[in-house]
Amino acid sequence: MLEVKDVSAGYGVTEVLHSLSLRVEPGEVLAVCGPNGAGKSTLLKVLSRQLRATEGSVTFQGDSLLKDSPARVVERGMALCPEGRRVFPRMTTEANLQLGAYSRKDRSAIDAEIEAYLDAWPVIKRRRSSPAGLLSGGEQQILAIGRAMMSNPSLLLLDEPSLGLAPVLIDQVYEGLKSLVQSTGISVLLVEQNVVKALELCDRIAVLTDGEIVFEADAADVTADEVGSHYFEHHGEAHA
Ligand code: ADP
């Protein structure tokens, strides 16, 4: 589904990702965890074509991605739900969902999907005509995920869905994600600092530190502590 091979990228002369490789198989949820500043968001920026890779290749459903515009990437079936539950606060909840479908023309299918989404989230449905900024933090995150889903992606890139939310809201967001994954079979690349929550959702987990993947395992085979123990590992040290 997605193959990232030896990708390097950064900002100006500063290289942040160093020859990074990973794969997401169809129907799989891969979590990429790691400390602040490790390069997780930078990876998502490269995949969504907001940032150029200086080296390496990215293949999505068999074809290279690195010449596509960000809009073309969305059309090809990869959607990014950015960090910080970025909904448009003054637009209505429903208008936020409509916006996620901007690349599509199948109006009646879009309307049916919005209704299905709202039926699954009665708290949001009650506020469909209210400004999205009036929703709680957790609801805004769920709306941001719903908006990303409106482009009908086969791969969802999720940047830190738990960021800045109270524990009870994090649970709510992850319950929503679990039912989404179960009901759609969508592939997900989840970037998350919260290893406990990531392990609840993912099939496979990788640790990114200092722009390199230093650890990878099936979620069923590891504990959160084990994953966390790799946070301060660096490739040079790991293979020394
Ligand atoms: P993470 O998502 O893992 O917290 P980021 O990908 O946001 O990490 O950041 C990785 C590194 O790149 C950090 O050292 C950060 O300071 C730097 N960085 C991120 N965005 C920019 C930018 N727009 N310009 C310059 N440096 C940046």
Side-chain angles (χ1 to χ4, degrees):
M1 149 96 13
L2 177 75
E3 178 158 25
V4 176
K5 221 167 162 197
D6 301 326
V7 161
S8 299
Y11 307 94
V13 293
T14 313
E15 190 178 274
V16 172
L17 302 178
H18 314 295
S19 202
L20 181 148
S21 298
L22 58 79
R23 293 170 68 94
V24 182
E25 305 294 344
E28 180 182 55
V29 180
L30 171 70
V32 175
C33 297
N36 238 330
K40 301 182 297 297
S41 296
T42 301
L43 169 65
L44 294 187
K45 279 186 214 159
V46 169
L47 297 179
S48 55
R49 296 285 295 132
Q50 299 168 58
L51 182 69
R52 201 174 59 86
T54 49
E55 271 175 71
S57 63
V58 179
T59 311
F60 177 54
Q61 290 176 327
D63 291 311
S64 170
L65 199 86
L66 293 183
K67 292 222 161 61
D68 289 342
S69 65
R72 177 74 192 123
V73 172
V74 177
E75 278 169 25
R76 282 182 58 184
M78 189 192 291
L80 170 68
C81 182
E83 177 183 272
R85 51 188 189 277
R86 260 177 247 149
V87 296
F88 294 94
R90 288 198 200 102
M91 290 172 74
T92 66
T93 298
E94 190 170 347
N96 268 273
L97 291 169
Q98 293 280 1
L99 210 69
Y102 74 93
S103 63
R104 296 171 56 185
K105 292 181 179 66
D106 46 342
R107 175 66 26 218
S108 55
I110 294 168
D111 289 343
E113 282 168 41
I114 289 179
E115 288 314 315
Y117 171 87
L118 291 173
D119 285 341
W121 290 102
V123 273
I124 295 180
K125 187 173 186 175
R126 281 198 291 278
R127 307 270 191 90
R128 68 187 297 166
S129 306
S130 310
L134 295 179
L135 297 174
S136 75
E139 288 157 8
Q140 287 185 31
Q141 181 64 69
I142 287 161
L143 179 62
I145 295 165
R147 189 181 59 195
M149 287 301 295
M150 287 310 297
S151 65
N152 229 346
S154 44
L155 175 67
L156 179 63
L157 310 177
L158 268 172
D159 199 354
E160 301 248 13
S162 71
L163 193 76
L165 294 178
V168 56
L169 299 181
I170 294 176
D171 289 347
Q172 187 186 25
V173 168
Y174 268 82
E175 283 312 311
L177 282 171
K178 271 181 229 167
S179 61
L180 177 74
V181 167
Q182 273 161 15
S183 62
T184 61
I186 190 170
S187 309
V188 180
L189 175 54
L190 165 72
V191 157
E192 182 59 273
Q193 281 205 54
N194 187 331
V195 179
V196 173
K197 293 318 273 185
L199 280 174
E200 282 179 17
L201 186 72
C202 73
D203 301 299
R204 218 148 42 82
I205 192 157
V207 175
L208 177 65
T209 68
D210 257 352
E212 295 179 59
I213 301 286
V214 294
F215 176 75
E216 219 180 314
D218 283 343
D221 296 338
V222 284
T223 62
D225 283 349
E226 241 174 299
V227 173
S229 72
H230 293 276
Y231 265 42
F232 301 101
E233 189 174 295
H234 301 283
H235 250 163
E237 289 168 20
H239 297 302

